[in-house]
Amino acid sequence: MDENEELTEGFSNNEGAPDDALTRVTGMYKDWFLDYASYVILERAVPAIEDGFKPVQRRIMHSLKELDDGRYNKVANVVGHTMQYHPHGDASIADAMVQIGQKDLLIDTQGNWGNILTGDRAAASRYIEARLSKFALEVIFSPKITEWQLSYDGRKKEPVNLPVKFPLLLAQGAEGIAVGLSTKVLPHNFVELIDASIKHLKGKSFKIYPDFPTSGIIDVTNYNDGLRGGKIRVRARIENIDKNTLVIKEIPYGTNTSSLIDSILKANDKGKIKIKKIEDNTAAEVEILVHLPSGISPDKTIDALYAFTACESSISPLGCIIEDNKPIFMGVTEMLRRSTDSTVELLKAELEIQLNELEEQWHFASLERIFIENRIYREIEEEETWEGVIAAIDKGLKPHTKHLRRAVTEEDIVRLTEIRIKRISKFDLDKAKQHLDSLEDRIAETKNFLANLVDFAIDYFQELKKKYAQGRERKSEIRIFDDIEATKVVIRNTKLYVNREEGFVGTSLRRDEYVTDCSDIDDIIVFTKKGEMMVTKVDSKIFVDKNIIHVAVFKKKDKRTTFNMIYKDGRGGPSYIKRFNVTSITRDKMYDLTNGNANSDVLYFSANPNGEAEVITVHLRQSGSIKKLKWDIDFADVLIKGRTSKGNIVTKYPVKRIELKEKGLSTLKPRKIWFDDIVQRLNVDERGELLGEFRPDDLLLVVNQKGFVKTIVPDLNARFDDDMIVLEKWNPDKPISAIYYDGEKERYYIKRFLIENANREDLIITEHPKSQLELISTDWRPVVELEFVKPRGKEAKANHEVDVEDFIAIKGIKALGNQLTSDKVKNINALESLPYEEPQVQSPNEIEVVEEENVDGENTNKPDSDEESQTTLF
């Protein structure tokens, strides 16, 4: 007896009945779950490839068509009508209808249908109205080629699939969760889908990417054609109004302004970001104002909003559709090909039906003409029986039917007998010929369409684009995103303390020594007197080891922070000097920075964010016959190596103390910085245009089209406006030349100036709303050419070259400048600048960082010999 039979043993329909009266349920529920799962997949959650509709959506559209009379219908009425076909509750039908209506493609809506931007729900179905859009009427319905089936109760007929002649599934998108299966087809751009269909029909390759009604910015690098495993990143469009205000103008797909604001407030409460207040001014368009406290960087806050809030999210598509009553996985490219090919077949079927109808019209019109023109109707006057009438007409027609395209049937003759006497008496032979000629032309045209079906389909798509593309341009901007490191943009929301003697580090040690501000996602690096180092996560209280000498927030892959160290190797051993970086480690692992001998001790230690090399004084203890007890060492003479490097010998004698004699300058090579125009970010990874080599005090010059000029620190987290026209390394001694149009005086002015205050933004044109920057040059000796407007009835004035250096002297940044010309100017062109030799700047000695660490931080470049590693400084 199996488990199912055990469940039924001892149970019967009648108490006390014999065992043979038991009703066994074994096997009855064996396939129930599979049946239920199949039903949910096929009948509720997943759209069909043929028309892109789920069953409830298809039934809504069918009901709208049945109710269509050109006027609006109450949604409640449509829902009630749909319930004749859909065996589920009215709420599910109303929700599905609202979702279709909000996509603004198939349903022409009236009333409050909700707001996808704010998340507001639609009004009750009795208050809102709908009708089919002109687009839906044109591309979705064609009863003559529709396959029909009985509704669930057998009282009505409903379409198996609607004959949709457009890639509707990709235009609207689809999302559903079934039993053990889900689908997520993202919406695509209407115009791009039509263009892709045309390319497919022409045999060309194409690519299509999502486009969302909420707009926003999207990165489709890993879209993977909409298949499982793909991912797209979506971001809100955030702009910087001023130094204390950000505005969110577009939101990511899948969010609304309410959920977005909630996520920002939560991030603020957790200390990830710092904001003053939020204002939601969203109406027809999104406008969320984020006010920042003074002293908070807007650029870093924008990155933090992307890193810690719903301003950036990832969407994973999953292209699952129903084909031949089976769920299959398919990419969006193949979906579009299938839809386009299906459209061609549907157009072919419509043309064939149209051709057949035209030929039937031509056939009967020809018979009618023969019947009336040859007065065959008179031959039935003597006939007394119906059979005789049919035979008489058939006999009268035979001499005249040789040119017909098919044989005359009894049905044709019956139709002839139904012609009224009034029609016969008013028969016009010329009009009959014109009608036949018109039918023949239409038949020839239809045959031509069938013979050139692909061209006909291309024309069909082009006509759709012409009629309905207006206002359906791409909303989501496609852009490659930069990767944002959360640790670099998080607000330092807590304080780090250290108890050096006891060896504790943490945020709860408020009675101990304050180290720095930090965040709860930071790593910290700790060095001890024994010459050991460890990186660990920030926590309330962590024990590292006793006698801590340095604690700081750890920056991963930081090749510029240089640690200078002198240590004694074991008890009575020599002292070594070394310089090193820490770029990558294993968290919570203790690393030994000495030679590994017991009782090693750090004699001197400093951390230098830009590779600074100080000068120190070493004092020895009086011992034996030592002659020199004091001398200076410059760390600039020590090569920067990996942390596992042993270092160079300082002395073999005991060290009394080491003193700092002179603070040092950076010994690192200037950092090369590039600008990647694709992601609008600075980088040190050789992506984009090289801006130059930057030392710690070097700045960037930034000018935008609005006429604002500023210099900024080359921070890799800095953001740049789309209207930026100048970005280069700033030379404080190089003048900037600008030509602008003064809106008030309606004249062109030219000015030359130097930046007077670094790290400040200045407007270099007048504030009149019609003023605009025409040309700006950062060359030493620029030359421009003026093209003048031709006066009516006169010759145009010859082009004029202007040597800017000769035309105007260097003045203040706020100066109006000199009027360029009083004539009307057509164009101002920049010519090749005059030669100029820049003065050479003597560079100090530079040290190149020696790469000695692999990914996990272990040494891969040990010294070639012990002799090299133990060079004695004294």
Side-chain angles (χ1 to χ4, degrees):
M1 184 184 297
D2 65 18
E3 183 180 348
N4 293 336
E5 292 175 328
E6 289 177 10
L7 289 172
T8 62
E9 188 174 7
F11 291 88
S12 64
N13 291 331
N14 298 306
E15 198 173 325
D19 288 344
D20 57 2
L22 290 174
T23 301
R24 307 283 180 179
V25 298
T26 305
M28 287 181 64
Y29 55 87
K30 191 173 183 180
D31 297 324
W32 284 357
F33 181 78
L34 184 60
D35 291 341
Y36 170 65
S38 299
Y39 172 75
V40 174
I41 292 170
L42 298 177
E43 296 297 326
R44 298 194 71 171
V46 184
I49 184 63
E50 289 84 1
D51 58 7
F53 286 124
K54 298 177 186 180
V56 64
Q57 296 171 329
R58 187 179 301 115
R59 289 159 179 161
I60 289 169
M61 299 309 294
H62 176 58
S63 295
L64 280 167
K65 177 61 175 173
E66 285 192 325
L67 293 171
D68 182 55
D69 58 1
R71 297 182 297 173
Y72 287 98
N73 289 284
K74 287 285 187 183
V75 168
N77 188 27
V78 179
V79 170
H81 195 276
T82 306
M83 291 179 73
Q84 298 178 91
Y85 305 102
H86 195 63
H88 298 283
D90 60 325
S92 63
I93 299 172
D95 289 343
M97 190 170 176
V98 167
Q99 288 178 12
I100 299 172
Q102 287 178 339
K103 290 170 182 174
D104 192 28
L105 185 62
L106 302 179
I107 297 179
D108 188 2
T109 61
Q110 186 166 273
N112 177 16
W113 280 67
N115 191 326
I116 59 171
L117 300 177
T118 62
D120 294 336
R121 292 180 59 84
S125 56
R126 62 185 176 273
Y127 299 125
I128 56 179
E129 297 177 327
R131 66 182 177 189
L132 289 170
S133 67
K134 291 181 180 179
F135 174 78
L137 290 167
E138 183 167 347
V139 304
I140 290 182
F141 304 103
S142 186
K144 293 175 183 176
I145 60 171
T146 303
E147 183 183 353
W148 301 90
Q149 64 183 1
L150 290 174
S151 61
Y152 69 95
D153 61 0
R155 289 188 173 94
K156 295 273 188 176
K157 282 188 176 181
E158 63 173 328
V160 176
N161 290 299
L162 288 168
V164 177
K165 302 183 288 295
F166 180 79
L168 193 62
L169 174 59
L170 294 174
Q172 292 198 122
E175 190 170 352
I177 300 176
V179 180
L181 191 70
S182 66
T183 184
K184 192 160 194 171
V185 181
L186 301 179
H188 293 68
N189 181 259
F190 181 91
V191 179
E192 291 173 8
L193 289 175
I194 292 178
D195 290 341
S197 293
I198 292 172
K199 285 183 179 179
H200 171 60
L201 292 172
K202 290 181 176 179
K204 298 178 181 179
S205 61
F206 61 88
K207 283 281 186 183
I208 52 174
Y209 297 111
D211 186 28
F212 301 122
T214 55
S215 301
I217 310 168
I218 63 174
D219 185 342
V220 297
T221 307
N222 300 314
Y223 185 42
N224 194 30
D225 203 38
L227 288 166
R228 180 168 28 195
K231 182 181 73 171
I232 69 167
R233 295 163 66 189
V234 292
R235 282 182 178 176
R237 186 179 297 279
I238 309 175
E239 296 179 3
N240 185 4
I241 296 179
D242 54 49
K243 63 181 182 180
N244 291 323
T245 313
L246 304 175
V247 59
I248 300 174
K249 290 187 172 181
E250 298 170 6
I251 60 176
Y253 182 67
T255 65
N256 54 59
T257 54
S258 299
S259 62
L260 190 70
I261 290 171
D262 287 344
S263 73
I264 295 173
L265 293 174
K266 286 179 182 177
N268 182 63
D269 292 342
K270 291 179 180 179
K272 306 290 186 187
I273 61 175
K274 191 172 287 186
I275 63 171
K276 195 174 182 181
K277 67 174 181 177
I278 295 181
E279 289 181 61
D280 186 5
N281 299 330
T282 301
E285 296 180 354
V286 172
E287 184 181 296
I288 301 172
L289 297 178
V290 181
H291 298 277
L292 307 179
S294 58
I296 298 297
S297 165
D299 289 347
K300 190 172 282 190
T301 303
I302 291 174
D303 283 347
L305 287 171
Y306 288 142
F308 302 114
T309 74
C311 288
E312 178 179 336
S313 61
S314 294
I315 300 175
S316 298
L318 181 57
C320 180
I321 46 89
I322 301 297
E323 185 179 51
D324 296 330
N325 282 324
K326 291 182 293 185
I328 61 171
F329 295 97
M330 185 182 293
V332 295
T333 303
E334 182 62 21
M335 287 183 195
L336 187 118
R337 289 196 189 102
R338 298 277 187 97
S339 173
T340 306
D341 293 341
S342 173
T343 298
V344 173
E345 291 303 313
L346 291 171
L347 291 171
K348 180 183 178 182
E350 286 184 343
L351 287 172
E352 287 174 343
I353 290 172
Q354 180 180 315
L355 177 61
N356 185 56
E357 290 175 346
L358 288 171
E359 287 182 336
E360 284 298 306
Q361 290 176 36
W362 181 88
H363 178 78
F364 186 73
S366 298
L367 279 180
E368 185 183 60
R369 177 186 169 188
I370 294 168
F371 182 72
I372 298 173
E373 187 179 1
N374 295 287
R375 292 182 170 85
I376 295 173
Y377 53 85
R378 289 185 175 179
E379 298 180 11
I380 65 175
E381 294 175 355
E382 303 297 329
E383 299 296 332
E384 296 180 354
T385 63
W386 178 250
E387 290 77 9
V389 170
I390 297 298
I393 295 174
D394 187 31
K395 183 179 178 182
L397 290 173
K398 278 184 178 179
H400 309 285
T401 57
K402 293 178 181 179
H403 69 287
L404 297 182
R405 300 176 184 180
R406 68 170 177 83
V408 179
T409 64
E410 186 175 339
E411 290 180 3
D412 295 334
I413 296 172
V414 171
R415 284 185 66 189
L416 290 174
T417 64
E418 295 171 355
I419 298 175
R420 297 183 178 182
I421 297 297
K422 185 177 181 181
R423 179 171 175 79
I424 294 173
S425 64
K426 289 188 175 182
F427 183 76
D428 188 326
L429 183 59
D430 291 334
K431 285 186 178 179
K433 285 181 179 180
Q434 288 176 8
H435 180 56
L436 284 170
D437 290 341
S438 173
L439 289 173
E440 287 175 356
D441 290 342
R442 291 175 64 190
I443 288 169
E445 182 185 49
T446 305
K447 286 182 177 179
N448 181 58
F449 289 155
L450 283 167
N452 301 279
L453 194 57
V454 172
D455 291 337
F456 178 76
I458 291 172
D459 291 341
Y460 169 79
F461 279 113
Q462 289 175 338
E463 188 63 22
L464 286 182
K465 183 177 178 180
K466 183 179 177 182
K467 285 184 181 179
Y468 304 108
Q470 188 174 0
R472 300 189 185 278
E473 296 79 12
R474 169 166 283 278
K475 294 183 177 180
S476 299
E477 179 188 350
I478 296 176
R479 185 190 294 175
I480 297 175
F481 291 170
D482 54 314
D483 293 321
I484 297 172
E485 292 186 37
T487 53
K488 290 184 178 180
V489 299
V490 68
I491 294 294
R492 308 299 181 198
N493 58 351
T494 187
K495 298 182 183 299
L496 183 67
Y497 302 90
V498 60
N499 185 326
R500 296 182 184 272
E501 292 183 4
E502 297 299 323
F504 287 99
V505 180
T507 57
S508 63
L509 309 175
R510 299 185 180 180
R511 294 184 179 180
D512 295 304
E513 179 187 343
Y514 165 75
V515 178
T516 185
D517 288 349
C518 65
S519 74
D520 53 5
I521 65 171
D522 278 334
D523 288 322
I524 54 172
I525 187 167
V526 184
F527 295 86
T528 69
K529 194 78 167 60
K530 291 195 304 185
E532 293 179 331
M533 176 200 79
M534 186 173 79
V535 174
T536 187
K537 201 80 176 170
V538 166
D539 208 338
S540 57
K541 187 177 182 180
I542 312 158
F543 176 75
V544 180
D545 203 351
K546 291 187 176 182
N547 298 316
I548 292 172
I549 58 174
H550 179 72
V551 183
V553 173
F554 177 64
K555 300 175 183 178
K556 195 175 182 181
K557 298 179 182 179
D558 181 9
K559 294 181 180 180
R560 296 192 68 81
T561 299
T562 305
F563 300 101
N564 299 338
M565 186 173 90
I566 297 177
Y567 69 93
K568 184 181 71 172
D569 183 23
R571 186 184 300 274
S575 299
Y576 289 86
I577 186 171
K578 63 189 289 186
R579 301 182 75 198
F580 59 94
N581 308 121
V582 179
T583 55
S584 58
I585 44 78
T586 301
R587 188 182 288 146
D588 296 324
K589 177 182 177 181
M590 189 68 81
Y591 291 90
D592 194 343
L593 303 173
T594 69
N595 207 23
N597 295 318
N599 299 314
S600 293
D601 186 32
V602 175
L603 303 176
Y604 179 85
F605 184 91
S606 68
N608 308 280
N610 281 297
E612 291 84 355
E614 64 269 37
V615 178
I616 58 170
T617 302
V618 178
H619 297 266
L620 299 183
R621 295 184 184 278
Q622 181 66 50
S623 175
S625 59
I626 302 177
K627 296 180 180 179
K628 192 173 183 179
L629 298 176
K630 170 184 170 184
W631 73 96
D632 294 339
I633 296 178
D634 189 346
F635 271 99
D637 298 329
V638 181
L639 194 66
I640 300 173
K641 295 187 177 181
R643 56 175 166 73
T644 55
S645 169
K646 184 178 182 180
N648 299 333
I649 292 180
V650 176
T651 179
K652 298 178 181 178
Y653 301 108
V655 176
K656 183 179 180 180
R657 69 179 184 276
I658 297 176
E659 297 174 343
L660 175 66
K661 180 179 181 180
E662 181 182 320
K663 290 185 178 181
L665 299 174
S666 174
T667 57
L668 298 181
K669 273 194 171 183
R671 184 169 59 167
K672 290 184 178 180
I673 295 180
W674 285 260
F675 178 69
D676 187 345
D677 186 57
I678 296 175
V679 298
Q680 295 278 296
R681 284 298 184 93
L682 302 175
N683 69 88
V684 293
D685 305 319
E686 302 185 16
R687 289 184 286 106
E689 177 189 356
L690 178 64
L691 297 179
E693 298 182 345
F694 289 77
R695 297 184 181 278
D697 55 348
D698 287 334
L699 299 175
L700 277 170
L701 172 66
V702 183
V703 185
N704 66 20
Q705 190 63 58
K706 298 183 185 74
F708 286 98
V709 176
K710 63 181 177 180
T711 55
I712 62 170
V713 175
D715 184 357
L716 299 186
N717 293 318
R719 307 187 71 86
F720 300 93
D721 298 331
D722 292 334
D723 65 348
M724 178 182 65
I725 55 176
V726 174
L727 178 66
E728 62 180 48
K729 184 179 178 181
W730 178 48
N731 183 343
D733 300 322
K734 186 194 286 189
I736 300 170
S737 305
I739 297 175
Y740 69 94
Y741 178 77
D742 187 300
E744 181 180 358
K745 299 182 179 180
E746 298 183 344
R747 290 285 188 272
Y748 284 95
Y749 284 81
I750 185 169
K751 60 192 293 186
R752 294 182 79 214
F753 59 91
L754 295 172
I755 302 291
E756 298 168 357
N757 294 297
N759 298 310
R760 193 182 82 179
E761 187 173 69
D762 289 297
L763 181 65
I764 61 171
I765 65 176
T766 55
E767 296 182 355
H768 193 276
K770 291 186 178 180
S771 296
Q772 60 183 23
L773 183 62
E774 184 70 24
L775 186 146
I776 191 161
S777 173
T778 56
D779 292 341
W780 287 92
R781 302 179 64 194
V783 178
V784 298
E785 180 187 52
L786 306 182
E787 292 183 29
F788 298 99
V789 175
K790 179 183 177 183
R792 182 176 297 178
K794 296 182 181 180
E795 290 293 326
K797 188 176 179 180
N799 293 355
H800 178 62
E801 288 189 9
V802 177
D803 179 349
V804 177
E805 181 186 33
D806 184 57
F807 189 84
I808 185 171
I810 297 174
K811 299 182 179 181
I813 194 170
K814 291 294 185 181
L816 184 65
N818 293 352
Q819 183 174 302
L820 186 60
T821 178
S822 59
D823 297 313
K824 289 188 176 181
V825 177
K826 181 180 179 182
N827 287 313
I828 301 175
N829 306 313
L831 301 180
E832 186 176 350
S833 298
L834 297 174
Y836 180 82
E837 288 190 12
E838 295 188 40
Q840 297 296 318
V841 179
Q842 186 67 32
S843 300
N845 293 332
E846 298 163 343
I847 292 180
E848 182 75 63
V849 177
V850 178
E851 301 290 345
E852 292 205 34
E853 295 181 85
N854 60 12
V855 174
D856 64 357
E858 297 302 324
N859 185 26
T860 56
N861 291 312
K862 290 286 185 182
D864 293 335
S865 65
D866 290 341
E867 182 180 351
E868 178 189 347
S869 67
Q870 297 185 15
T871 303
T872 306
L873 295 179
F874 176 76

